[in-house]
Amino acid sequence: MKYKLYLIGDRKLFPQEEAFLEAVQKALKAGVKAFQLREKDLTAKELYFLAKKMREITKRNDALLFINDRIDVALAIDADGVHLPQSGFPAHVVRKVWKDRFIIGVSTHSVEEAKEASEWADFITFSPVFHTPMKGKPQGIDKLKEVKEAVKCKVFALGGIKLDNLHEVMPYCDGVAMISGILGQKDIEGTVKKFNEILGEKP
């Protein structure tokens, strides 16, 4: 796990699927090395076919692919990892059943959730650090720092992360995760390159 920039997908930001796939391709080509497919409203069949396309794109760009929640889809398309929401399979169950088959990420929103997940996960996301329309009240930098000090695994800050506030979270996390911070930008490639430059990631 050498990446510091973790991109999370949202096809609803785009008018059609092809535009979504193209945007992800641009981000990966520009230097994103880890992508999470997170489309909770799709049926298993719909998600499977979309995930197959994403698997091709991530392999072509030497990037890791994570599937949110759906371990069956992750297995079917040979994903690198799974990202587990709090309502999903517990990380310890995934680790016990599938051993080291998957890199395991877990979404957390409190110190308690972070501690529990870190016993079994390879990394966690902690959110929302800053204000974001979808995530409720921001947790802030102090809470992120508390989480980082309390867990054994890597921590990715999530929620309202932008180029102009990235320096605030960097001392207290191992990387950053985002959706619109990259996919919502007009210049996706340029934005990725700027993030990686600040994070110290090589192209």
Side-chain angles (χ1 to χ4, degrees):
M1 279 186 57
K2 296 178 181 179
Y3 54 90
K4 295 181 182 178
L5 189 56
Y6 183 35
L7 178 61
I8 302 169
D10 184 356
R11 76 185 197 289
K12 292 176 182 175
L13 292 173
F14 303 91
Q16 65 272 333
E17 185 181 288
E18 279 307 310
F20 174 43
L21 294 170
E22 187 179 330
V24 173
Q25 161 85 5
K26 284 181 180 178
L28 300 185
K29 196 171 181 179
V32 169
K33 291 302 175 188
F35 173 75
Q36 179 196 146
L37 185 61
R38 179 185 178 273
E39 303 296 334
K40 297 187 174 185
D41 60 317
L42 294 182
T43 64
K45 184 177 180 179
E46 290 168 334
L47 183 62
Y48 167 73
F49 284 111
L50 179 57
K52 271 190 76 175
K53 294 175 184 177
M54 283 299 183
R55 176 73 285 189
E56 291 174 12
I57 292 171
T58 51
K59 279 192 172 181
R60 198 184 309 142
N61 290 279
D62 194 27
L64 298 174
L65 175 61
F66 293 81
I67 302 295
N68 183 281
D69 200 17
R70 297 298 302 257
I71 299 168
D72 52 349
V73 174
L75 285 165
I77 59 101
D78 194 29
D80 302 289
V82 289
H83 193 100
L84 308 171
Q86 284 296 312
S87 60
F89 265 103
H92 73 269
V93 173
V94 177
R95 185 66 77 202
K96 183 178 179 181
V97 175
W98 286 283
K99 306 294 190 289
D100 294 325
R101 167 62 188 81
F102 294 117
I103 303 169
I104 300 174
V106 178
S107 297
T108 68
H109 313 91
S110 69
V111 177
E112 292 71 28
E113 289 178 358
K115 281 182 178 178
E116 183 179 348
S118 74
E119 294 294 323
W120 303 95
D122 295 292
F123 70 94
I124 61 171
T125 55
F126 178 71
S127 69
V129 178
F130 299 115
H131 174 74
T132 175
M134 304 298 289
K135 289 282 187 177
K137 186 179 177 182
Q139 307 251 17
I141 298 294
D142 289 343
K143 189 65 71 174
L144 173 65
K145 182 180 179 183
E146 189 179 342
V147 165
K148 178 59 181 164
E149 290 172 349
V151 303
K152 304 172 182 177
C153 67
K154 290 184 181 293
V155 177
F156 282 73
L158 171 64
I161 309 291
K162 299 174 183 176
L163 286 167
D164 60 5
N165 61 25
L166 181 58
H167 66 283
E168 296 180 49
V169 302
M170 283 176 63
Y172 311 115
C173 62
D174 300 286
V176 291
M178 64 194 68
I179 303 174
S180 61
I182 288 174
L183 295 180
Q185 306 306 306
K186 289 182 179 179
D187 181 9
I188 290 175
E189 296 102 321
T191 302
V192 169
K193 287 174 182 175
K194 286 176 183 174
F195 269 114
N196 276 338
E197 188 178 327
I198 296 170
L199 289 165
E201 291 282 78
K202 294 179 182 178

